[in-house]
Amino acid sequence: MNSRIEQIIDEIEDFIENCKYQPLSNTKIVVNKDDLEDLLAELRRRTPDEIKRYQKIISNKEAILADAQAKADAIIAQAEVHTTELISEHQIMQQAYAQANEVVVIATNQAQEILDSATNDANSIRMGAIQYTDDILKSLESIIGHAMETTKARNDNLMNALQECYDVVNANRVELFPEEAAQEPEKVQKEPEKELQITEF
């Protein structure tokens, strides 16, 4: 909506436009002085009021702009605080994830160390058991071998002693019955082989 000053200015322009030109002139006009003075007087009266109204509008505009700027600043500040909180939460989450990953890595390493240690202990026990069993078998092998050698030596001695006794007995028999010994020489020689057999274990 146009202000009253603008309306008065329009009326002045219309007034001038409707004035008649002076005779023999295209630029000079005949003006009704009273009507023009009335319009100018009203313009003078209206000007302070309009200026005040415009000043009030300008002041209100500045206040509105200041209020809007304050609200905008508050929104920006709140957004910055919220952004900072989100960044902090994000950093906290990143730290939590990093700590969780670190705990998982440490637990995995500890579990692997325990598994490796248990495997080494099991291998050591197994090798120790094998070595212990081998030592026992080696000792038993040595004892059995020694027993076999001793038994064989005793059997050999026993065989030799029996052979000597047999020879003495046979010689005595020959002396008692030289005729029979002459008649059965093969029988006398073969009998010791049948009677003197000792099984070795």
Side-chain angles (χ1 to χ4, degrees):
M1 181 177 179
N2 293 334
S3 66
R4 181 56 186 159
I5 291 177
E6 292 175 342
Q7 292 178 357
I8 294 172
I9 292 172
D10 290 338
E11 291 177 3
I12 292 172
E13 289 177 347
D14 292 337
F15 174 80
I16 294 172
E17 186 69 25
N18 294 324
C19 288
K20 296 180 179 180
Y21 289 100
Q22 290 183 356
L24 305 176
S25 175
N26 293 328
T27 58
K28 294 180 181 181
I29 59 174
V30 178
V31 177
N32 187 327
K33 182 180 178 183
D34 292 335
D35 292 338
L36 181 59
E37 286 180 350
D38 290 340
L39 291 174
L40 293 174
E42 187 177 359
L43 181 62
R44 291 189 189 96
R45 285 195 306 272
R46 294 287 184 180
T47 299
D49 294 336
E50 290 293 322
I51 291 174
K52 290 179 181 179
R53 189 168 73 86
Y54 282 123
Q55 288 176 344
K56 184 177 181 180
I57 291 173
I58 292 172
S59 298
N60 290 337
K61 180 180 179 181
E62 291 177 352
I64 291 171
L65 291 175
D67 183 64
Q69 184 66 44
K71 291 180 178 178
D73 292 340
I75 293 172
I76 292 172
Q78 185 177 3
E80 290 177 349
V81 171
H82 184 61
T83 302
T84 303
E85 292 176 353
L86 290 177
I87 292 173
S88 299
E89 291 177 358
H90 180 66
Q91 291 176 346
I92 291 172
M93 290 178 64
Q94 285 185 333
Q95 292 177 356
Y97 284 137
Q99 291 177 355
N101 290 332
E102 184 177 356
V103 170
V104 171
V105 170
I106 293 174
T108 302
N109 292 335
Q110 289 179 347
Q112 188 62 44
E113 289 177 358
I114 293 172
L115 181 60
D116 292 341
S117 178
T119 302
N120 292 332
D121 291 343
N123 290 333
S124 298
I125 293 171
R126 177 175 174 274
M127 294 303 297
I130 292 174
Q131 185 64 45
Y132 176 74
T133 304
D134 183 65
D135 291 341
I136 293 175
L137 293 175
K138 184 178 179 181
S139 299
L140 184 59
E141 182 182 17
S142 177
I143 293 171
I144 294 173
H146 181 69
M148 290 175 63
E149 292 177 358
T150 303
T151 303
K152 186 176 182 299
R154 290 177 179 175
N155 287 338
D156 291 342
N157 292 333
L158 179 59
M159 289 290 292
N160 292 331
L162 291 174
Q163 184 67 45
E164 290 177 359
C165 292
Y166 180 81
D167 292 341
V168 171
V169 171
N170 187 44
N172 291 332
R173 288 186 64 202
V174 170
E175 289 179 359
L176 290 175
F177 303 100
E179 296 85 3
E180 293 182 4
Q183 293 176 0
E184 301 178 356
E186 294 180 0
K187 181 179 180 182
V188 174
Q189 295 296 327
K190 291 181 179 180
E191 285 179 355
E193 294 180 1
K194 295 180 180 180
E195 296 179 359
L196 297 178
Q197 291 182 353
I198 298 177
T199 303
E200 294 184 3
F201 295 94

